[in-house]
Amino acid sequence: MKTGHDVLELSPVLPVVVVDDAADAVPLAKALVAGGIRAIELTLRTPAGLAAIERVAAEVPEIVVGAGTVVTPEQARQAADAGSAFLVTPGCTDRLLEAVSGTGLPFLPGVSTVSEAMRVAEHGITALKFFPAEASGGAAYLKALGGPLPQLRFCPTGGVTVQNAPTYLALSTVGCVGGTWLTPKDAVAAGDFGRIEQLAREAAALR
Ligand code: 3PG
């Protein structure tokens, strides 16, 4: 995997995962694999995020693990050291862009407007996260953005569900979609990994 475009090809759905306990990450990742999903974005939204990345990278070789919600240059470096195969940021600043590029890892910087997308493209980056997708105008917005900027490809996330995912996946500018719906908080808390496997199976069948 060399670029953000490779990240977009990993899976039709990139699960965006929040864990409170790093110990949950391994059975959760195994449930995703059992359901046919081979990529996971573990967010740095909780203190358990980095340890979760380390554990999945070490214990579940069948899945490609990346770090999500990377919002500071320090987090970019920590996520790389923890064994992330890719990085995802919800938005981007010049400092953050420099830091994520500096890790040498493939990454998806987050954008939600035409000008943000153009600014990132000026750096030669053409694989992006579109966030927050539904709140920013959804598939209709993303389709319109592809008119003047057809060279850009996206992973829309934020409000994406198994119901609306096909509308995004039908766009030529969408490589994959992302979302938290595959790993509901209550299922993780209850250790209901069978439910996660089932949600993963449905998601894997979307394309
Ligand atoms: C993200 O960071 O990609 C989003 O928080 C995912 O949003 P969702 O919970 O609406 O899927």
Side-chain angles (χ1 to χ4, degrees):
M1 240 187 17
K2 292 197 176 64
T3 72
H5 288 278
D6 299 325
V7 178
L8 296 178
E9 298 306 323
L10 289 172
S11 171
V13 180
L14 182 58
V16 177
V17 178
V18 183
V19 290
D20 290 317
D21 182 349
D24 289 333
V26 167
L28 186 155
K30 287 183 174 166
L32 292 172
V33 171
I37 295 284
R38 298 301 166 101
I40 181 170
E41 176 189 325
L42 278 159
T43 66
L44 304 184
R45 248 169 255 190
T46 57
L50 280 176
I53 291 167
E54 271 173 25
R55 292 183 68 155
V56 173
E59 297 176 43
V60 195
E62 302 87 354
I63 204 163
V64 180
V65 57
T69 320
V70 176
V71 294
T72 68
E74 191 192 9
Q75 283 179 324
R77 288 185 285 271
Q78 289 172 332
D81 290 345
S84 304
F86 63 90
L87 306 175
V88 184
T89 74
C92 78
T93 65
D94 290 340
R95 253 164 48 90
L96 186 57
L97 208 52
E98 197 179 310
V100 291
S101 311
T103 64
L105 293 172
F107 64 92
L108 300 175
V111 301
S112 66
T113 68
V114 179
S115 294
E116 284 170 11
M118 288 172 64
R119 198 171 57 77
V120 174
E122 279 181 356
H123 293 269
I125 299 157
T126 52
L128 313 171
K129 163 169 166 144
F130 174 52
F131 175 81
E134 281 292 292
S136 302
Y141 184 99
L142 197 51
K143 186 174 182 197
L145 200 149
L149 304 170
Q151 76 279 22
L152 302 184
R153 295 197 88 215
F154 295 89
C155 170
T157 80
V160 179
T161 64
V162 72
Q163 286 81 20
N164 64 18
T167 316
Y168 285 102
L169 289 167
L171 299 179
S172 60
T173 53
V174 169
C176 67
V177 299
T180 56
W181 87 84
L182 287 77
T183 54
K185 220 176 165 57
D186 58 335
V188 179
D192 187 356
F193 298 108
R195 181 161 161 227
I196 291 173
E197 180 181 333
Q198 183 51 37
L199 290 164
R201 188 163 288 120
E202 272 170 33
L206 282 171
R207 187 182 266 167

